[in-house]
């Protein structure tokens, strides 16, 4: 949550600006633009005169934009009106702050809206204001006494909730790293000054409240994994979250299995020449195999949750290391790349189970006695290659689904945090469910044609006298015979199960989480 660092920003970040501006020397080759120029003393926006040489006039006044302007001039070491990574490195060192090149690049990337490789003043101000708002949320969550200060007991209690047990001496050491007035408590200014110029895409407080792929199960397993804090990984809380998420997914998928089977039937059999609709589809299943037939294919769908979740999580953590990130959390682009690759690895590992699920959902009464019998039949009659039919469109579907789901969810999350978060990063149940449902629905809509073609390819050999078409040939056939809307057969039952799936998985997840001893914050 809060880690002591080797360097600390001296009390009052902005109080350093004038002295650093006046006395620091700049390496002529250090900037990223024209040669350095001597910085001009800041002008008072009201009188035009030089600001008197005392801290409160520079930093303690109400004119926040003026204070940020002074800081910007310090960090813009070559005076070209933009802060690049090299500027940031030199400027922060002048203020006694040392960051790695990776951290500096994250800061610039996070605020660089016009993608020119540097921050102009407006981008710099917006980045700091957004970041400061996140820091205020964390500060308020730590300030349990609501007295505007954080003491060692509050730090100990907050970390204890995450499963981290500190001695009072360790908590006091954390305090000392930020305490500039010797009171052994941290007020908002000390907290802000210490953390403000440190990059943070996902502060732990926000991570804890805004998970959705672990908590909300909509029947698809190609979403980008959730982040876990370093403390949760260290204490083993992560596996309890995954177990709770797996149990919630099993219950959710079982409750919505009839809709999922109807979706598969409509993807494979519905066309312009037949009248299969939601009502007629349910009647067909019940007449052919009774009420129990509505759950065909659900067993293997539940069984694959465990290995797929475990493989995806472990792959995600390894890929994060391979791409060179030692940060607690990743930026959105890094998360997308790591999550998509992890999803591809997990799907490749359990893909035969996906084929079995489709075949079992489409089977007629008495065709197979169970999962193993179905697998033996496919192996004998079609060979090992049959277990990977539809593999290519399935892998291609990961990119639009995972990318859009992540982008929409992060956009909704950040919008809520900026507009409505005041005392806590906790959005509440309804906001979390609404954001998760919306992002998942958008992801499914974008990848649905590929999912339909995948299901058709998995089912081809089970259809009597059915031709074995390639992915491209299937796309052409569907568009030619049914039009573009044919690529969305079965979409209605698929969307019908989203809201109940999300609701059920959330309720079960919260119950299992408490049973496993994971404390809610």
């Amino acid at each position: 949550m809060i880690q002591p660092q080797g360097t600390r920003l001296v009390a009052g970040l902005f109080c350093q600006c004038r002295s650093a501006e006046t006395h620091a020397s700049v390496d002529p080759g250090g900037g990223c633009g024209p040669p350095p120029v001597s910085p001009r003393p800041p002008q008072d926006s009201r009188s035009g005169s030089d600001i008197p040489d005392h801290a409160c006039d520079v930093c303690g006044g109400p004119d926040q934009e003026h204070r940020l302007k002074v800081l910007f001039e310090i960090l813009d070491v070559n005076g070209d009106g933009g802060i690049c990574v090299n500027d940031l490195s030199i400027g922060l060192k002048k203020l006694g702050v040392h960051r790695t090149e990776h951290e500096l690049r994250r800061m610039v990337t996070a605020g660089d809206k016009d993608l020119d490789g540097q921050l102009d003043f407006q981008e710099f101000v917006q980045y700091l204001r957004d970041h400061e708002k996140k820091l205020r949320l964390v500060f308020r969550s730590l300030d349990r006494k609501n007295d505007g200060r954080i003491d060692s007991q509050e730090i100990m209690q907050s970390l204890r909730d995450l499963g981290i047990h500190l001695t009072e001496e360790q908590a006091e050491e954390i305090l000392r790293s930020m305490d500039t007035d010797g009171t052994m408590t941290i007020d908002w200014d000390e907290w802000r000054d210490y953390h403000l110029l440190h990059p943070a895409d996902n502060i732990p407080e926000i991570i804890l409240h805004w998970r959705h792929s672990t908590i909300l199960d909509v029947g698809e397993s190609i979403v980008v994994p959730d982040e876990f804090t370093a403390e949760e990984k260290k204490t083993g809380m992560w596996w309890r979250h995954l177990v709770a998420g797996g149990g919630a997914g099993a219950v959710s998928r079982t409750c919505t299995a009839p809709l999922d089977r109807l979706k598969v039937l409509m993807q494979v059999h519905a066309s312009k020449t037949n009248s299969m609709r939601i009502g007629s589809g349910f009647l067909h299943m019940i007449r052919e195999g009774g009420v129990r037939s509505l759950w065909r294919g659900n067993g293997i769908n539940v069984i694959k949750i465990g290995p797929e979740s475990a493989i995806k999580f472990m792959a995600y953590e390894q890929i994060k290391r391979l791409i060179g990130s030692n940060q607690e959390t990743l930026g959105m682009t890094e998360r997308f790349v790591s999550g998509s690759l992890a999803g591809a690895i997990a799907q490749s590992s359990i893909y035969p189970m996906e084929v079995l699920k489709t075949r079992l959902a489409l089977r007629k009464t008495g065709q197979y006695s169970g999962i193993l019998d179905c697998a033996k039949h496919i192996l004998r009659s079609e060979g090992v290659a049959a277990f990977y039919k539809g593999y290519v469109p399935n892998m291609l579907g990961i990119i639009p689904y995972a990318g859009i789901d992540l982008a929409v969810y992060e956009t909704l999350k950040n919008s809520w945090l900026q507009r409505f978060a005041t005392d806590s990063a906790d959005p509440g149940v309804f906001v979390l469910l609404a954001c998760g449902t919306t992002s998942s629905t958008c992801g499914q809509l974008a990848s649905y044609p590929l999912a339909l073609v995948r299901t058709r390819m998995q089912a081809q050999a089970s259809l009597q006298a059915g031709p074995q078409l390639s992915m491209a040939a299937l796309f052409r056939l569907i568009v030619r015979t049914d039009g573009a809307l044919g690529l969305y057969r079965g979409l209605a039952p698929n969307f019908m199960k989203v809201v109940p799936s999300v609701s059920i998985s959330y309720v079960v997840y919260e119950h299992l989480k408490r049973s496993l001893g994971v404390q809610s914050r």
Side-chain angles (χ1 to χ4, degrees):
M1 182 76 112
I2 309 170
Q3 298 294 332
Q5 303 176 10
T7 62
R8 62 171 163 175
L9 200 52
V10 181
L13 169 64
F14 304 116
C15 294
Q16 290 272 347
C17 300
R18 186 169 179 80
S19 60
E21 188 175 44
T22 304
H23 300 296
S25 59
V26 180
D27 180 1
C32 59
V37 297
S38 300
R40 290 174 290 118
Q43 299 290 312
D44 186 287
S45 59
R46 291 158 294 185
S47 65
S49 61
D50 288 358
I51 295 176
D53 191 17
H54 54 88
C56 61
D57 283 342
V58 177
C59 315
D63 191 354
Q64 184 187 40
E65 186 163 340
H66 177 68
R67 291 188 287 118
L68 293 175
K69 182 66 174 176
V70 174
L71 179 60
F72 182 84
E73 291 177 356
I74 295 301
L75 298 179
D76 181 18
V77 296
N78 57 14
D80 66 347
I83 300 174
C84 65
V85 173
N86 211 15
D87 283 336
L88 203 55
S89 175
I90 296 170
L92 289 179
K93 286 177 182 177
K94 286 159 57 178
L95 295 172
V97 181
H98 298 275
R99 299 284 179 249
T100 65
E101 184 177 352
H102 179 77
E103 290 174 329
L104 297 173
R105 290 190 183 281
R106 287 175 62 197
M107 291 172 67
V108 172
T109 301
D112 184 17
K113 302 303 182 185
D114 57 8
L115 304 179
D116 63 352
Q118 60 182 5
L119 304 179
D120 60 30
F121 180 64
Q122 293 303 321
E123 290 173 331
F124 177 72
V125 170
Q126 189 60 48
Y127 168 78
L128 288 186
R129 284 178 176 168
D130 290 345
H131 188 37
E132 184 172 327
K133 189 161 190 176
K134 293 180 181 180
L135 291 175
R136 189 177 291 277
L137 291 175
V138 181
F139 182 83
R140 286 177 173 170
S141 72
L142 290 171
D143 182 18
R144 293 169 178 255
K145 298 175 184 176
N146 202 28
D147 60 358
R149 305 188 75 85
I150 301 171
D151 59 29
S152 60
Q153 293 300 317
E154 288 170 318
I155 290 178
M156 291 170 65
Q157 183 59 50
S158 296
L159 293 180
R160 191 177 298 122
D161 289 347
L162 291 174
I164 301 295
H165 297 277
L166 294 182
T167 65
E168 190 164 357
E169 289 76 15
Q170 290 172 322
E172 288 176 353
E173 183 60 31
I174 292 176
L175 279 179
R176 288 192 192 96
S177 68
M178 289 176 273
D179 179 28
T180 59
D181 57 9
T183 61
M184 286 306 292
T185 59
I186 306 166
D187 61 20
W188 162 242
D189 288 334
E190 290 171 322
W191 171 267
R192 178 200 61 198
D193 292 350
Y194 186 84
H195 290 284
L196 189 59
L197 291 175
H198 191 285
D201 297 314
N202 280 308
I203 294 173
E205 180 73 10
I206 297 173
I207 295 173
L208 292 170
H209 289 302
W210 284 89
R211 294 198 178 106
H212 81 297
S213 66
T214 303
I215 299 173
L216 310 179
D217 188 289
V218 294
E220 300 290 345
S221 303
I222 54 179
V223 295
V224 174
D226 282 321
E227 290 285 293
F228 290 94
T229 66
E231 289 82 359
E232 288 175 312
K233 294 173 187 175
K234 187 184 298 183
T235 59
M237 284 292 174
W238 63 270
W239 69 261
R240 300 186 189 188
H241 282 284
L242 291 181
V243 170
V251 175
S252 171
R253 294 185 186 192
T254 299
C255 291
T256 59
L259 285 167
D260 190 65
R261 187 184 178 217
L262 177 61
K263 177 195 73 175
V264 173
L265 287 175
M266 293 181 71
Q267 285 178 331
V268 175
H269 296 300
S271 68
K272 284 185 175 180
T273 59
N274 64 44
S275 58
M276 181 177 283
R277 298 292 184 269
I278 293 174
S280 60
F282 275 122
L283 285 175
H284 169 77
M285 289 189 288
I286 293 173
R287 286 171 181 166
E288 194 278 329
V291 175
R292 288 186 61 186
S293 69
L294 298 177
W295 276 268
R296 284 179 184 170
N298 182 60
I300 191 72
N301 196 32
V302 169
I303 290 171
K304 70 186 180 71
I305 293 175
E308 185 172 18
S309 298
I311 293 170
K312 183 162 64 173
F313 175 76
M314 299 308 295
Y316 183 65
E317 292 299 313
Q318 291 301 317
I319 292 168
K320 281 169 63 175
R321 295 189 182 95
L322 287 175
I323 65 176
S325 175
N326 58 359
Q327 304 301 309
E328 182 173 316
T329 60
L330 301 180
M332 192 164 75
T333 302
E334 293 169 308
R335 282 195 66 201
F336 169 64
V337 173
S338 301
S340 297
L341 290 174
I345 292 171
Q347 284 281 297
S348 299
S349 303
I350 58 91
Y351 192 77
M353 301 174 80
E354 293 280 358
V355 175
L356 286 172
K357 178 213 162 191
T358 298
R359 294 293 184 88
L360 288 167
L362 294 170
R363 80 181 190 272
K364 296 179 180 178
T365 301
Q367 185 174 359
Y368 307 118
S369 61
I371 296 172
L372 289 177
D373 183 55
C374 178
K376 290 177 183 177
H377 181 84
I378 294 172
L379 186 61
R380 281 198 304 267
S381 60
E382 303 173 53
V384 176
F387 289 103
Y388 282 89
K389 287 184 177 179
Y391 177 79
V392 173
N394 186 70
M395 291 297 107
L396 293 176
I398 291 175
I399 297 173
Y401 188 103
I404 292 175
D405 174 66
L406 179 63
V408 171
Y409 190 77
E410 289 295 311
T411 299
L412 293 173
K413 178 185 79 174
N414 290 331
S415 177
W416 187 91
L417 286 170
Q418 289 176 11
R419 295 187 181 187
F420 304 109
T422 54
D423 297 322
S424 171
D426 186 357
V429 175
F430 293 110
V431 173
L432 182 65
L433 294 184
C435 292
T437 301
T438 302
S439 64
S440 297
T441 300
C442 291
Q444 287 185 341
L445 188 62
S447 63
Y448 195 83
L450 286 164
L452 182 141
V453 169
R454 174 201 67 194
T455 303
R456 287 276 189 98
M457 293 181 72
Q458 291 171 342
Q460 281 182 125
S462 66
L463 303 177
Q464 293 182 350
Q468 303 296 299
L469 300 178
S470 66
M471 180 181 71
L474 257 178
F475 266 113
R476 288 194 296 268
L477 176 65
I478 294 170
V479 173
R480 186 172 64 249
T481 58
D482 295 335
L485 290 178
L487 295 171
Y488 290 90
R489 299 286 184 190
L491 186 64
N494 185 68
F495 279 177
M496 285 172 63
K497 72 186 180 74
V498 169
V499 173
S501 293
V502 166
S503 304
I504 293 167
S505 62
Y506 180 83
V507 172
V508 176
Y509 172 82
E510 288 297 314
H511 178 75
L512 291 177
K513 191 174 71 168
R514 288 192 296 270
S515 300
L516 291 169
V518 180
Q519 295 179 334
S520 297
R521 289 176 58 81

